[in-house]
Amino acid sequence: MWFLNGILLAGAAAFLIPLIIHLLNKRRVVTVAWGAMHLLHEALRQKKRNVRVEQLLLLIARISIPILLALLLARPVFTLLRQLPGLNKNSLVVVLDNSYSMRAPGEGGTARDQARNHLRRIFSELPGGSDVSIILAGSPPRLLMAQPSTAMDVVTEAMDSEPSLSGPVKINEAFQLAQAELKRMGNAGREVLFISDFQQTDWRNAVEGGTVPALDALSKNEPKPLLTFLRVPSELQENLSIASVDPSAFVVAREQAIALRTRIQNHGTRAYQDIAVHLEADGVRLRTTRVSIAPNAETVLTLSHAFDTPGDHSLTVRLEGDSFPEDNAFSLVIPVREQVNTLIVHGENKSGTALEGDADFLQIALTPHQSAEVTLKDVIRTGLVDYRQLRDKATEGAEVVILANVPKLNDKQTKDLEEFVKRGGGLLIFAGPDMDLRWYEKDFYRDGKGLLPAAISGFGHVDEGQSPARVLSQRFTHPATTYFNDARGLRLQDGSFSHWVRFDKIQGDTRVLLSLDRGDALLVEKPFGKGRVLAVASTANARWNNLPLQPVFVPLTQRLVTYLATQNAAPQFQMCGTLLRAPLDITKEKSEYVLTDPFNKIHELVAKKDETGAVYVDYAATYAPGLYELRPKVPNANEPTRRFAFNLDPSESNLTATASEKTREVASRMNAGYAESYDEYARLDRSRRHGTELWQPILVLLLLFLFGEVFLQQRIGKA
């Protein structure tokens, strides 16, 4: 037997109070001699015996009341009754790793299959009346069933039908959900069982001594739940994967080639020779390339394709040759457009010399084929206007507006530009020496309410004799800059800067995309209404920097412009588990759509409107990688099929598991039991599972003693 609140047993010492009072009262009895006493002697002797018995019973009742009350508050658990049927109901929360790494094959089947077999046996051994809840721990963690269930066949059926397709395990988020789930479960015996392959990439932080805050909160629950780690081994260590596919542009023109820089990674210790890499467009295989990859290495190759019809098209890079095919494909959706209309607003071109104007390099970079007078078509079409001639409705038909060294705008121009961005347009701002900083601060920034993403605190420059400033080397994560992560490609760091404006008050929704090695921001972004604004701290010509003279300037400016032009379109790809949201025309509210997932299953969706008036359809269960296609339920020639690409998180491709001894250390540090097989778990469970709480019978006894104490007190008083 043990106690859930053992410290409260100290309250049992209160039984001394009625005992001391009884003994003190007994010492006060005084014997008085009385002449006629002998006549009542026999009757008194009989009566005295009865009174002593009743007083002893009253004393026992009064002593028992505080003892029973202390036991009741301490909540005793009687473990010897655990073998009796129905007396040891348990509440079990299973945190089940359902990430892609659990699907890696092995001699004993996949880790996923082993985990489910273990759980079936565990469920079959639970005492009758026990309830179970399963949390799927991949990205994002979620409940398998809406409510805990005592029907083990229902739980097992739900577990077997779940596809187990998800991203990396989010340990802290999963335990947060487990804590919330425990509060909904009704038995005294409580356990949280974490069953996983303990993939190294998921557990690196914990192995290195990092904390899991949700576990600390879980340990403070009363009664404290048992925590157990059950490891299911994943035997496969060799794996090839497509780590990334970076397109050369967000949008391309019809018959304009798009290049896909593909990075293929070998996570194992064996070399792969002549691996087939296929390029597919809209589900049709176009061509095959063969590559060889050394152990624990990667290779990069570039594939290209041109589409001859406008619309949203898909491109998929797929490889063959290893035992784990789930991460052997990477899909993208490429918008093919006739053109992207861009309006360039420039400042005063005082010199009139070629390539010294504020917009000269921009026009060449955005329309390189037109500038070179070749027959190839540019997707971006530019218009050019002096800032003083920016008239009403000048932005009509434009998708992106660029301001290049514009001194300032009048109130009407500013208002029209704000309305343009609010409706979903994109604005790209390049700084310059002619900028009226007072106007930009007062009217264009407006304490964060205007178009300018950040305040400007002045100018920065490089003193004579100092080395120029350069773009800070870092891992780029923004869609417009990820293309420049590969050092073997075009380098943003090749550009040098002598002057720039200093952005200040970077707060709220504003974020820094590029920085200079001097600590100042170079490129910042801010959402504004349905549109976005990008601001560059230096010039679009070679006046303050030499970036326009570098080959990287062309893809950089094109990616910035096409990013702004396609910001409200579907992303080229998303990670599995993220929300699929398709914006629709406002007239489509309550319209019916069908979504086809990568398994060719059909899901019916209904368009809805949010509080801002935007109409869209949502689909959250994007756990499988591949292409999702959305079309009206009733075919409509004016509403073509829309495609969405979802890919596996690349961290799932490294199948290396955390070493067994390291996992045991983590379990020990977290006060968790640890097992590497069902038999080991069963032995651990038998040695520590909760017994039966006895507070209910103790409460009944307490009530009986209270009633008995009142009854005896009245009886003795009458006597």
Side-chain angles (χ1 to χ4, degrees):
M1 179 184 291
W2 59 288
F3 300 90
L4 298 178
N5 300 317
I7 193 171
L8 296 181
L9 280 175
F15 83 92
L16 293 172
I17 297 174
L19 179 61
I20 293 172
I21 293 174
H22 176 81
L23 294 175
L24 291 175
N25 286 334
K26 187 174 182 180
R27 294 186 60 185
R28 292 175 185 173
V29 176
V30 179
T31 302
V32 180
W34 180 41
M37 190 66 188
H38 65 284
L39 299 175
L40 300 174
H41 181 73
E42 185 59 30
L44 287 174
R45 188 166 61 84
Q46 185 66 31
K47 189 66 174 177
K48 187 176 181 180
R49 186 186 306 113
N50 294 339
V51 169
R52 283 179 178 174
V53 172
E54 291 173 351
Q55 286 180 338
L56 180 60
L57 292 175
L58 181 60
L59 177 61
I60 292 172
R62 287 174 172 172
I63 290 175
S64 300
I65 288 172
I67 294 175
L68 290 174
L69 185 59
L71 286 171
L72 185 64
L73 295 175
R75 298 179 66 181
V77 176
F78 192 42
T79 56
L80 290 179
L81 293 179
R82 62 190 304 275
Q83 302 298 333
L84 299 180
L87 292 182
N88 188 34
K89 294 185 291 185
N90 202 28
S91 288
L92 176 63
V93 176
V94 178
V95 182
L96 177 62
D97 182 348
N98 68 319
S99 63
Y100 258 99
S101 64
M102 293 283 285
R103 297 170 64 87
E107 292 184 3
T110 66
R112 168 182 179 264
D113 294 337
Q114 295 178 59
R116 297 186 183 203
N117 290 336
H118 291 343
L119 287 175
R120 290 188 194 97
R121 297 180 68 181
I122 290 171
F123 295 160
S124 68
E125 295 293 327
L126 286 174
S130 296
D131 52 352
V132 169
S133 181
I134 297 180
I135 294 171
L136 303 173
S139 306
R142 66 192 192 279
L143 291 172
L144 176 63
M145 302 176 296
Q147 298 291 334
S149 177
T150 59
M152 296 302 127
D153 56 337
V154 173
V155 177
T156 302
E157 183 180 352
M159 178 182 66
D160 290 342
S161 62
E162 199 279 325
S164 186
L165 308 173
S166 190
V169 170
K170 301 297 183 183
I171 301 172
N172 192 64
E173 290 87 340
F175 279 122
Q176 284 178 337
L177 191 54
Q179 182 184 11
E181 195 66 1
L182 277 177
K183 295 178 181 178
R184 302 200 302 164
M185 307 183 77
N187 296 313
R190 299 185 174 200
E191 181 180 1
V192 176
L193 172 62
F194 198 111
I195 183 167
S196 170
D197 60 356
F198 290 89
Q199 189 180 11
Q200 192 177 77
T201 53
D202 294 337
W203 288 84
R204 180 174 288 113
N205 181 63
V207 168
E208 293 174 353
T211 61
V212 182
L215 270 181
D216 295 334
L218 191 68
S219 64
K220 295 176 183 177
N221 281 18
E222 289 294 342
K224 182 179 178 180
L226 295 176
L227 177 61
T228 310
F229 290 166
L230 176 54
R231 182 191 185 111
V232 284
S234 178
E235 299 169 1
L236 183 66
Q237 301 296 319
E238 306 294 332
N239 185 35
L240 286 179
S241 71
I242 298 180
S244 65
V245 176
D246 295 318
S248 58
F250 287 105
V251 58
V252 293
R254 184 169 53 85
E255 299 181 348
Q256 179 188 33
I258 184 170
L260 304 179
R261 190 170 61 215
T262 304
R263 186 163 60 95
I264 301 174
Q265 196 160 6
N266 182 354
H267 300 275
T269 57
R270 58 162 286 198
Y272 287 86
Q273 304 292 331
D274 294 326
I275 295 298
V277 181
H278 309 293
L279 178 64
E280 302 171 356
D282 296 332
V284 177
R285 182 166 296 178
L286 301 175
R287 66 187 70 94
T288 298
T289 305
R290 293 192 173 272
V291 298
S292 298
I293 312 175
N296 294 307
E298 66 176 42
T299 187
V300 177
L301 70 156
T302 300
L303 307 170
S304 62
H305 181 67
F307 293 97
D308 55 8
T309 58
D312 289 346
H313 294 272
S314 67
L315 284 174
T316 299
V317 180
R318 191 183 308 275
L319 61 85
E320 297 178 356
D322 70 346
S323 303
F324 188 49
E326 271 76 5
D327 56 0
N328 288 0
F330 199 105
S331 299
L332 299 166
V333 174
I334 307 298
V336 179
R337 304 269 287 274
E338 292 293 349
Q339 62 187 29
V340 174
N341 295 320
T342 303
L343 177 65
I344 303 176
V345 183
H346 62 83
E348 302 179 33
N349 292 327
K350 298 174 183 177
S351 67
T353 306
L355 295 182
E356 289 191 4
D358 298 314
D360 293 349
F361 283 97
L362 283 174
Q363 284 190 289
I364 295 173
L366 296 178
T367 57
H369 299 132
Q370 178 182 326
S371 301
E373 297 183 352
V374 296
T375 56
L376 294 175
K377 183 179 180 180
D378 293 305
V379 69
I380 299 174
R381 178 180 178 183
T382 59
L384 190 66
V385 63
D386 186 287
Y387 79 100
R388 292 164 296 190
Q389 299 173 353
L390 187 63
R391 307 301 184 196
D392 292 350
K393 300 182 180 180
T395 59
E396 281 191 2
E399 295 165 84
V400 179
V401 173
I402 302 176
L403 303 183
N405 189 29
V406 171
K408 64 179 181 180
L409 301 173
N410 61 42
D411 291 345
K412 184 67 171 65
Q413 291 170 328
T414 303
K415 184 177 180 182
D416 289 346
L417 202 55
E418 287 183 352
E419 290 300 319
F420 165 75
V421 179
K422 282 181 179 178
R423 292 193 303 268
L427 176 63
L428 177 59
I429 305 168
F430 283 92
D434 298 332
M435 294 174 66
D436 183 341
L437 297 191
R438 183 176 296 178
W439 176 84
Y440 273 86
E441 175 72 21
K442 179 176 179 292
D443 296 310
F444 218 49
Y445 177 63
R446 293 204 333 263
D447 292 327
K449 299 178 182 178
L451 285 170
L452 192 64
I456 299 177
S457 61
F459 295 98
H461 67 279
V462 175
D463 293 331
E464 187 175 351
Q466 288 185 329
S467 59
R470 298 190 183 275
V471 175
L472 182 68
S473 295
Q474 60 186 43
R475 185 74 183 172
F476 305 124
T477 58
H478 190 271
T481 57
T482 53
Y483 188 74
F484 306 104
N485 279 320
D486 192 340
R488 289 167 291 188
L490 300 168
R491 285 171 44 87
L492 292 173
Q493 290 79 11
D494 291 339
S496 60
F497 296 80
S498 60
H499 293 78
W500 58 90
V501 296
R502 282 199 169 101
F503 290 126
D504 191 18
K505 299 179 182 177
I506 300 174
Q507 55 195 11
D509 293 331
T510 299
R511 58 174 174 162
V512 177
L513 307 187
L514 296 175
S515 298
L516 294 173
D517 56 10
R518 297 300 196 272
D520 292 327
L522 176 63
L523 177 63
V524 294
E525 177 187 31
K526 171 186 175 179
F528 192 87
K530 294 181 179 180
R532 288 187 176 271
V533 182
L534 293 173
V536 184
S538 197
T539 56
N541 58 15
R543 202 164 181 179
W544 283 3
N545 64 86
N546 74 347
L547 190 63
L549 304 176
Q550 304 298 322
V552 74
F553 187 70
V554 173
L556 175 63
T557 53
Q558 289 200 3
R559 290 181 73 84
L560 292 178
V561 169
T562 53
Y563 164 72
L564 290 172
T566 58
Q567 59 186 305
N568 293 314
Q572 286 184 312
F573 73 92
Q574 296 171 258
M575 290 301 170
C576 291
T578 55
L579 178 69
L580 185 159
R581 171 164 289 188
L584 300 170
D585 186 85
I586 193 171
T587 61
K588 300 297 183 181
E589 184 183 5
K590 297 183 179 179
S591 297
E592 296 181 335
Y593 290 81
V594 292
L595 181 76
T596 306
D597 67 17
F599 299 118
N600 288 321
K601 292 183 179 179
I602 304 297
H603 308 273
E604 295 189 357
L605 306 174
V606 178
K608 52 188 176 182
K609 181 188 291 186
D610 64 14
E611 61 276 4
T612 67
V615 176
Y616 57 90
V617 292
D618 277 352
Y619 183 72
T622 57
Y623 307 120
L627 294 170
Y628 295 72
E629 295 186 344
L630 180 72
R631 59 178 62 87
K633 188 173 183 179
V634 178
N636 182 354
N638 296 322
E639 199 171 356
T641 298
R642 300 176 65 179
R643 294 181 174 90
F644 303 84
F646 288 83
N647 293 306
L648 181 66
D649 191 304
S651 65
E652 280 293 287
S653 298
N654 187 347
L655 301 177
T656 304
T658 305
S660 178
E661 60 272 15
K662 293 291 185 182
T663 314
R664 287 187 183 274
E665 289 176 10
V666 171
S668 176
R669 194 171 70 246
M670 295 180 176
N671 296 317
Y674 180 77
E676 293 191 349
S677 67
Y678 172 78
D679 292 337
E680 187 178 353
Y681 170 80
R683 288 193 298 271
L684 178 65
D685 184 56
R686 282 193 296 269
S687 68
R688 65 174 191 176
R689 186 189 291 179
H690 289 291
T692 302
E693 279 199 69
L694 299 179
W695 66 267
Q696 298 97 332
I698 292 175
L699 177 60
V700 173
L701 283 175
L702 178 62
L703 294 175
L704 288 175
F705 275 101
L706 286 171
F707 176 79
E709 193 273 343
V710 174
F711 174 78
L712 290 170
Q713 177 64 38
Q714 291 181 347
R715 179 179 174 86
I716 293 172
K718 291 179 180 179

